[in-house]
């Protein structure tokens, strides 16, 4: 009798667009698909950690209720290494979702970070899950780096935005990847959107970091935060394309969320719905890939 098929799910980086991972997991579950191995990068690590610990319901309810005021409340302004220290966010995560040792998780889980000194990819699979997630989310310039085992770690998106290779290394027979950057280039990560409070959200976010006393609606130049967002996004997209071309997943899901900006975490319902839609669009491909893998 052949061994059961081990399914890996690689949850990619993408800041606020990462709430779509929740929709992806929901849609797969509705079709009877439960990953055996989950690997995440940045926001993918955040969602993945909550999922493997059985906290997806709690996370989904919290995300759906998030307002921009709540997002601002989680951002603690930093003096060194980044605009945000990240302690408020990780404390919230630890208290409300999961702060366990990797060995205590119900499923195989790993997340990826980047060694800031060597530029090497770092796989995090031991110790505190919350600390590992915080390191994987340390977006350069925005979140301050994390010191772990004598290394200075930043966001894994610098080296492996969609961690297919980790799933494979952990024994996955088939890997479904979620790429959040496939349609982002050309959208400058604008914080302005018809569905929010217009310039008010952008103004308050910039004021939070002491960047501006206000926003001139007639100003054609992007803010520093927008430039940072767009630059990091371009880098992430190019790296992801290169990695996925050389180390392909069996199926790649691409939620269409180009309109969602870097810090628009309050648009969770929209992102989760698109995660569900991404699975629906690709369901024939997913089913075929699973059938083929079972026959091998």
């Amino acid at each position: 009798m052949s061994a059961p098929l081990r399914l890996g799910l690689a949850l990619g980086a993408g800041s606020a667009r990462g709430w779509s991972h929740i929709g992806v997991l929901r849609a797969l579950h509705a079709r009877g698909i439960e990953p055996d191995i989950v690997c995440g990068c940045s926001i993918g690590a955040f969602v993945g950690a909550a999922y493997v610990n059985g906290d997806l319901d709690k996370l989904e309810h919290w995300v759906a209720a998030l307002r921009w005021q709540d997002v601002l409340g989680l951002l603690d302004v930093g003096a060194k290494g980044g605009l945000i220290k990240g302690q408020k966010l990780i404390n919230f995560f630890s208290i409300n979702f999961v702060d366990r040792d990797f060995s205590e998780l119900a499923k195989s889980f790993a997340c990826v970070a980047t060694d800031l000194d060597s530029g090497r990819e770092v796989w995090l699979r031991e110790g505190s899950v919350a600390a590992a997630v915080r390191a994987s989310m340390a977006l350069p310039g925005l979140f301050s780096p994390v010191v772990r085992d004598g290394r200075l770690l930043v966001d894994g998106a610098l080296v492996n935005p969609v961690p297919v290779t980790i799933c494979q290394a952990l024994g996955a027979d088939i890997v479904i990847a979620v790429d959040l950057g496939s349609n982002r280039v050309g959208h400058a990560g604008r914080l302005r959107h018809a569905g929010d409070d217009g310039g008010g959200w952008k103004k308050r976010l910039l004021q939070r970091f002491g960047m501006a006393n206000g926003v001139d609606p007639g100003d054609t130049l992007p803010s520093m935060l927008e430039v940072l967002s767009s630059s990091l996004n371009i880098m992430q997209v190019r790296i992801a394309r290169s990695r996925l071309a050389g180390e392909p997943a069996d199926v790649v899901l691409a939620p269409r969320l180009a309109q969602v900006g870097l810090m628009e975490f309050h648009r969770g319902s929209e992102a989760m719905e698109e995660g569900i839609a991404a699975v629906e669009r690709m369901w024939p491909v997913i089913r075929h890939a699973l059938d083929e893998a079972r026959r091998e």
Side-chain angles (χ1 to χ4, degrees):
M1 184 176 178
S2 60
L5 188 72
R6 287 173 59 79
L7 172 64
L9 184 63
L11 302 177
S15 296
R17 302 186 300 279
W19 295 145
S20 63
H21 292 317
I22 300 171
V24 167
L25 286 160
R26 287 295 185 209
L28 291 175
H29 176 76
R31 290 163 173 78
I33 299 175
E34 297 284 349
D36 304 288
I37 299 164
V38 179
C39 297
C41 179
S42 197
I43 189 67
F46 187 103
V47 176
Y51 169 71
V52 297
N53 197 55
D55 287 327
L56 192 65
D57 287 345
K58 184 187 290 188
L59 178 61
E60 182 177 1
H61 292 316
W62 177 69
V63 168
L66 267 180
R67 303 168 300 160
W68 60 261
Q69 296 97 327
D70 302 317
V71 177
L72 290 181
L74 290 172
L75 305 182
D76 42 0
V77 179
K80 293 183 178 180
L83 296 174
I84 302 169
K85 289 185 289 186
Q87 195 57 46
K88 280 188 179 180
L89 180 64
I90 206 60
N91 286 346
F92 179 88
F93 179 81
S94 301
I95 294 170
N96 291 279
F97 298 107
V98 58
D99 188 15
R100 297 188 179 184
D101 191 274
F102 274 82
S103 62
E104 299 175 316
L105 296 174
K107 294 177 181 286
S108 182
F109 174 68
C111 49
V112 60
T114 304
D115 186 322
L116 189 60
D117 293 323
S118 68
R120 293 177 179 173
E121 184 174 333
V122 179
W123 296 358
L124 303 174
R125 296 193 59 214
E126 297 179 345
S128 165
V129 172
V133 168
R134 170 65 179 86
S136 185
M137 293 180 64
L139 197 65
L142 191 60
F143 285 93
S144 57
V146 171
V147 178
R148 184 181 173 99
D149 298 328
R151 294 181 293 193
L152 201 58
L153 301 182
V154 293
D155 200 314
L158 293 178
V159 289
N160 196 356
V162 188
V164 173
T165 49
I166 310 181
C167 286
Q168 294 168 337
L170 294 182
D173 300 302
I174 181 172
V175 178
I176 298 174
V178 185
D179 179 9
L180 300 178
S182 59
N183 68 338
R184 283 289 299 167
V185 173
H187 296 79
R190 300 291 179 179
L191 300 175
R192 209 179 273 119
H193 184 265
D196 60 24
D197 67 336
W201 157 251
K202 176 179 174 181
K203 177 179 178 179
R204 291 178 179 89
L205 183 60
L206 293 176
Q207 288 176 335
R208 178 74 172 179
F209 300 126
M211 294 184 195
N213 293 321
V215 176
D216 180 1
D219 190 356
T220 58
L221 291 177
S223 69
M224 186 178 83
L225 194 60
E226 288 173 322
V227 171
L228 176 63
S229 167
S230 296
S231 300
L232 291 170
N233 177 71
I234 291 169
M235 175 199 68
Q236 176 183 315
V237 169
R238 302 304 182 194
I239 295 171
R241 287 177 181 173
S242 177
R243 292 294 299 255
L244 288 172
E247 302 151 346
D250 297 276
V251 179
V252 177
L253 305 179
R256 298 168 181 171
L257 291 167
Q259 75 281 5
V260 176
L262 175 74
M263 298 296 292
E264 292 182 324
F265 290 98
H266 59 296
R267 295 171 66 182
S269 294
E270 177 183 352
M272 290 188 288
E273 289 173 5
E274 177 52 28
I276 293 172
V279 173
E280 292 175 348
R281 287 193 298 269
M282 291 294 289
W283 177 240
V285 178
I286 296 170
R287 184 173 55 191
H288 176 74
L290 290 171
D291 289 343
E292 286 293 307
R294 292 188 183 106
R295 280 195 288 265
E296 291 179 358

